[in-house]
Amino acid sequence: SLTGTVSASCTDYSVTGGGGAYALAANESVTVTVRFAPAGAGTKTCNVQTGSSCAAPVACTGVGELAPQCDVSPGSLDFGTVTIGNHLDKTFRIKNTGGGSLTGTVSASCTDYSVTGGGGAYALAANESVTVTVRFAPAGAGTKTCNVQTGSSCAAVGCTGVGQLAPQCDVSPASFDFGTVTIGNHLDKTFRIKNTGGGSLTGTV
């Protein structure tokens, strides 16, 4: 009968199956399960004791790695007011402030917004980042919002912008007929300039 005790006295390792004392007759065996659950980053080693009758402990080596951590900055974008037919670009950054590989996909499914740079799938190692460019091109007037998705591990970026009509100039009347005026006298007439669109209509009379 082969007897002994399986044990692991290490912070990051434990025996989860087949541990403790054993007594094995001829050709009998026991299967031992060792769990590696690192509590911190770096290389972790352990000798699993298998009993005085066995040749040597089982040497275990593993590397603890920080989990990926997503940092999105800024968390929202305010595009202000943009005239219909024009566009404005703004950017945000996705960074892996942890370890491992941070993966995800950047996308925007909104009528007035599009991702023009840094979109699609990404995989970021520790301290790596990607810069994403979002374009606001309003198709109509009013407040337009959109949530740009950044992956299941990261928060969405909320976007807000206001679409406004382009300025439209209406001059009325378009011409004057002052008729006949005696020299030394005068006659005044008026016309009106009106912005029938949006934004600010500027000029000089």
Side-chain angles (χ1 to χ4, degrees):
S1 178
L2 177 67
T3 60
T5 300
V6 176
S7 63
S9 301
C10 309
T11 302
D12 304 284
Y13 294 85
S14 60
V15 177
T16 60
Y22 60 85
L24 304 175
N27 290 318
E28 283 188 337
S29 65
V30 62
T31 299
V32 179
T33 303
V34 180
R35 176 172 293 171
F36 176 47
T43 301
K44 311 292 182 180
T45 61
C46 184
N47 286 326
V48 178
Q49 303 301 320
T50 57
S52 59
S53 299
C54 293
V58 176
C60 301
T61 301
V63 178
E65 180 178 68
L66 293 173
Q69 294 289 330
C70 182
D71 178 71
V72 178
S73 179
S76 62
L77 299 175
D78 186 350
F79 287 83
T81 301
V82 178
T83 301
I84 297 169
N86 294 337
H87 69 265
L88 180 64
D89 293 340
K90 284 184 176 287
T91 62
F92 66 89
R93 184 200 65 183
I94 301 172
K95 184 176 182 180
N96 181 6
T97 57
S101 178
L102 177 67
T103 59
T105 302
V106 177
S107 63
S109 300
C110 308
T111 302
D112 304 283
Y113 295 86
S114 60
V115 177
T116 60
Y122 61 84
L124 304 175
N127 292 317
E128 284 188 339
S129 64
V130 60
T131 298
V132 179
T133 302
V134 181
R135 174 168 293 175
F136 175 46
T143 300
K144 312 293 182 178
T145 61
C146 184
N147 284 327
V148 177
Q149 303 301 319
T150 58
S152 59
S153 300
C154 301
V157 175
C159 300
T160 302
V162 178
Q164 75 170 7
L165 296 170
Q168 294 291 328
C169 182
D170 177 72
V171 178
S172 179
S175 62
F176 286 142
D177 183 354
F178 283 86
T180 302
V181 178
T182 302
I183 296 170
N185 293 338
H186 67 267
L187 177 64
D188 294 338
K189 287 183 178 286
T190 62
F191 66 92
R192 183 199 66 187
I193 301 173
K194 184 178 180 179
N195 180 5
T196 58
S200 178
L201 178 67
T202 60
T204 302
V205 176

